PDB file of all heavy atoms in Angstrom:
ATOM      1  N   SER N  12      79.792 -43.681 -94.172  1.00 97.00           N
ATOM      2  CA  SER N  12      80.289 -44.137 -92.870  1.00 97.00           C
ATOM      3  C   SER N  12      80.191 -42.966 -91.893  1.00 97.00           C
ATOM      4  O   SER N  12      79.697 -41.896 -92.261  1.00 97.00           O
ATOM      5  CB  SER N  12      81.737 -44.600 -93.006  1.00 97.00           C
ATOM      6  OG  SER N  12      82.206 -45.133 -91.784  1.00 97.00           O
ATOM      7  N   CYS N  13      80.658 -43.148 -90.659  1.00 96.00           N
ATOM      8  CA  CYS N  13      80.704 -42.020 -89.712  1.00 96.00           C
ATOM      9  C   CYS N  13      82.133 -41.506 -89.631  1.00 96.00           C
ATOM     10  O   CYS N  13      83.044 -42.296 -89.420  1.00 96.00           O
ATOM     11  CB  CYS N  13      80.336 -42.410 -88.291  1.00 96.00           C
ATOM     12  SG  CYS N  13      78.914 -43.426 -88.096  1.00 96.00           S
ATOM     13  N   CYS N  17      85.059 -41.993 -83.182  1.00 91.00           N
ATOM     14  CA  CYS N  17      84.835 -43.230 -82.437  1.00 91.00           C
ATOM     15  C   CYS N  17      85.796 -44.225 -83.054  1.00 91.00           C
ATOM     16  O   CYS N  17      86.292 -44.010 -84.140  1.00 91.00           O
ATOM     17  CB  CYS N  17      83.386 -43.678 -82.558  1.00 91.00           C
ATOM     18  SG  CYS N  17      83.177 -45.066 -83.623  1.00 91.00           S
ATOM     19  N   GLY N  19      85.429 -47.018 -84.446  1.00 91.00           N
ATOM     20  CA  GLY N  19      84.970 -47.844 -85.561  1.00 91.00           C
ATOM     21  C   GLY N  19      84.998 -47.061 -86.860  1.00 91.00           C
ATOM     22  O   GLY N  19      85.189 -45.850 -86.873  1.00 91.00           O
ATOM     23  N   ARG N  20      84.865 -47.736 -87.925  1.00 92.00           N
ATOM     24  CA  ARG N  20      84.617 -47.116 -89.227  1.00 92.00           C
ATOM     25  C   ARG N  20      83.724 -48.110 -89.931  1.00 92.00           C
ATOM     26  O   ARG N  20      84.194 -48.985 -90.636  1.00 92.00           O
ATOM     27  CB  ARG N  20      85.921 -46.932 -90.037  1.00 92.00           C
ATOM     28  CG  ARG N  20      86.772 -45.802 -89.557  1.00 92.00           C
ATOM     29  CD  ARG N  20      86.100 -44.447 -89.812  1.00 92.00           C
ATOM     30  NE  ARG N  20      86.791 -43.400 -89.061  1.00 92.00           N
ATOM     31  CZ  ARG N  20      86.295 -42.822 -87.964  1.00 92.00           C
ATOM     32  NH1 ARG N  20      85.125 -43.165 -87.496  1.00 92.00           N
ATOM     33  NH2 ARG N  20      86.962 -41.878 -87.354  1.00 92.00           N
ATOM     34  N   CYS N  21      82.409 -47.992 -89.688  1.00 95.00           N
ATOM     35  CA  CYS N  21      81.504 -49.030 -90.144  1.00 95.00           C
ATOM     36  C   CYS N  21      80.810 -48.596 -91.420  1.00 95.00           C
ATOM     37  O   CYS N  21      80.793 -47.415 -91.760  1.00 95.00           O
ATOM     38  CB  CYS N  21      80.481 -49.322 -89.067  1.00 95.00           C
ATOM     39  SG  CYS N  21      81.247 -49.498 -87.458  1.00 95.00           S
ATOM     40  N   LEU N  23      77.729 -47.616 -93.480  1.00 97.00           N
ATOM     41  CA  LEU N  23      76.341 -47.169 -93.392  1.00 97.00           C
ATOM     42  C   LEU N  23      75.751 -47.257 -94.806  1.00 97.00           C
ATOM     43  O   LEU N  23      76.305 -46.681 -95.748  1.00 97.00           O
ATOM     44  CB  LEU N  23      76.257 -45.726 -92.882  1.00 97.00           C
ATOM     45  CG  LEU N  23      76.836 -45.437 -91.492  1.00 97.00           C
ATOM     46  CD1 LEU N  23      76.624 -43.979 -91.099  1.00 97.00           C
ATOM     47  CD2 LEU N  23      76.234 -46.352 -90.429  1.00 97.00           C
ATOM     48  N   ARG N  46      79.834 -53.934 -89.361  1.00 93.00           N
ATOM     49  CA  ARG N  46      78.472 -53.599 -88.926  1.00 93.00           C
ATOM     50  C   ARG N  46      78.415 -52.376 -88.024  1.00 93.00           C
ATOM     51  O   ARG N  46      79.172 -52.273 -87.074  1.00 93.00           O
ATOM     52  CB  ARG N  46      77.874 -54.777 -88.167  1.00 93.00           C
ATOM     53  CG  ARG N  46      77.553 -55.920 -89.088  1.00 93.00           C
ATOM     54  CD  ARG N  46      76.704 -56.924 -88.371  1.00 93.00           C
ATOM     55  NE  ARG N  46      76.889 -58.229 -88.997  1.00 93.00           N
ATOM     56  CZ  ARG N  46      76.500 -59.359 -88.446  1.00 93.00           C
ATOM     57  NH1 ARG N  46      75.922 -59.347 -87.268  1.00 93.00           N
ATOM     58  NH2 ARG N  46      76.687 -60.487 -89.068  1.00 93.00           N
ATOM     59  N   ALA N  47      77.463 -51.526 -88.330  1.00 95.00           N
ATOM     60  CA  ALA N  47      77.312 -50.258 -87.597  1.00 95.00           C
ATOM     61  C   ALA N  47      76.646 -50.474 -86.243  1.00 95.00           C
ATOM     62  O   ALA N  47      75.855 -51.395 -86.064  1.00 95.00           O
ATOM     63  CB  ALA N  47      76.469 -49.304 -88.422  1.00 95.00           C
ATOM     64  N   CYS N  48      76.960 -49.583 -85.313  1.00 94.00           N
ATOM     65  CA  CYS N  48      76.339 -49.613 -83.982  1.00 94.00           C
ATOM     66  C   CYS N  48      75.080 -48.733 -83.994  1.00 94.00           C
ATOM     67  O   CYS N  48      74.729 -48.122 -85.005  1.00 94.00           O
ATOM     68  CB  CYS N  48      77.327 -49.097 -82.944  1.00 94.00           C
ATOM     69  SG  CYS N  48      77.501 -47.317 -82.994  1.00 94.00           S
ATOM     70  N   ARG N  50      74.635 -45.841 -82.758  1.00 96.00           N
ATOM     71  CA  ARG N  50      74.872 -44.413 -83.044  1.00 96.00           C
ATOM     72  C   ARG N  50      74.867 -44.177 -84.557  1.00 96.00           C
ATOM     73  O   ARG N  50      74.259 -43.225 -85.050  1.00 96.00           O
ATOM     74  CB  ARG N  50      76.213 -43.960 -82.456  1.00 96.00           C
ATOM     75  CG  ARG N  50      76.281 -44.052 -80.950  1.00 96.00           C
ATOM     76  CD  ARG N  50      77.631 -43.607 -80.417  1.00 96.00           C
ATOM     77  NE  ARG N  50      78.731 -44.428 -80.900  1.00 96.00           N
ATOM     78  CZ  ARG N  50      79.066 -45.620 -80.408  1.00 96.00           C
ATOM     79  NH1 ARG N  50      78.403 -46.127 -79.402  1.00 96.00           N
ATOM     80  NH2 ARG N  50      80.069 -46.320 -80.918  1.00 96.00           N
ATOM     81  N   GLY N  51      75.536 -45.050 -85.293  1.00 96.00           N
ATOM     82  CA  GLY N  51      75.582 -44.897 -86.748  1.00 96.00           C
ATOM     83  C   GLY N  51      74.202 -45.056 -87.354  1.00 96.00           C
ATOM     84  O   GLY N  51      73.781 -44.305 -88.236  1.00 96.00           O
ATOM     85  N   ILE N 185      84.104 -48.303 -78.738  1.00 89.00           N
ATOM     86  CA  ILE N 185      84.565 -48.967 -79.953  1.00 89.00           C
ATOM     87  C   ILE N 185      86.046 -48.678 -80.205  1.00 89.00           C
ATOM     88  O   ILE N 185      86.493 -47.537 -80.150  1.00 89.00           O
ATOM     89  CB  ILE N 185      83.729 -48.511 -81.171  1.00 89.00           C
ATOM     90  CG1 ILE N 185      82.238 -48.755 -80.920  1.00 89.00           C
ATOM     91  CG2 ILE N 185      84.181 -49.212 -82.439  1.00 89.00           C
ATOM     92  CD1 ILE N 185      81.829 -50.163 -80.607  1.00 89.00           C
ATOM     93  N   ILE N 617      79.524 -40.231 -79.275  1.00 96.00           N
ATOM     94  CA  ILE N 617      80.912 -40.209 -79.717  1.00 96.00           C
ATOM     95  C   ILE N 617      81.418 -38.903 -79.125  1.00 96.00           C
ATOM     96  O   ILE N 617      81.073 -37.831 -79.616  1.00 96.00           O
ATOM     97  CB  ILE N 617      81.050 -40.180 -81.247  1.00 96.00           C
ATOM     98  CG1 ILE N 617      80.235 -41.301 -81.874  1.00 96.00           C
ATOM     99  CG2 ILE N 617      82.522 -40.245 -81.659  1.00 96.00           C
ATOM    100  CD1 ILE N 617      79.991 -41.125 -83.346  1.00 96.00           C
TER     101      ILE N 617
HETATM  102  S1  SF4 B   3      79.571 -44.546 -84.418  1.00 59.02           S
HETATM  103 FE1  SF4 B   3      81.482 -45.689 -84.738  1.00 59.02          FE
HETATM  104  S2  SF4 B   3      80.992 -47.828 -84.214  1.00 59.02           S
HETATM  105 FE2  SF4 B   3      79.062 -46.719 -84.531  1.00 59.02          FE
HETATM  106  S3  SF4 B   3      78.549 -47.025 -86.696  1.00 59.02           S
HETATM  107 FE3  SF4 B   3      79.656 -45.097 -86.581  1.00 59.02          FE
HETATM  108  S4  SF4 B   3      81.797 -45.692 -87.010  1.00 59.02           S
HETATM  109 FE4  SF4 B   3      80.695 -47.563 -86.424  1.00 59.02          FE
END
Side-chain angles (χ1 to χ4, degrees):
S12 184
C13 314
C17 106
R20 284 292 167 254
C21 314
L23 300 183
R46 289 192 205 166
C48 76
R50 297 179 299 280
I185 304 303
I617 308 164

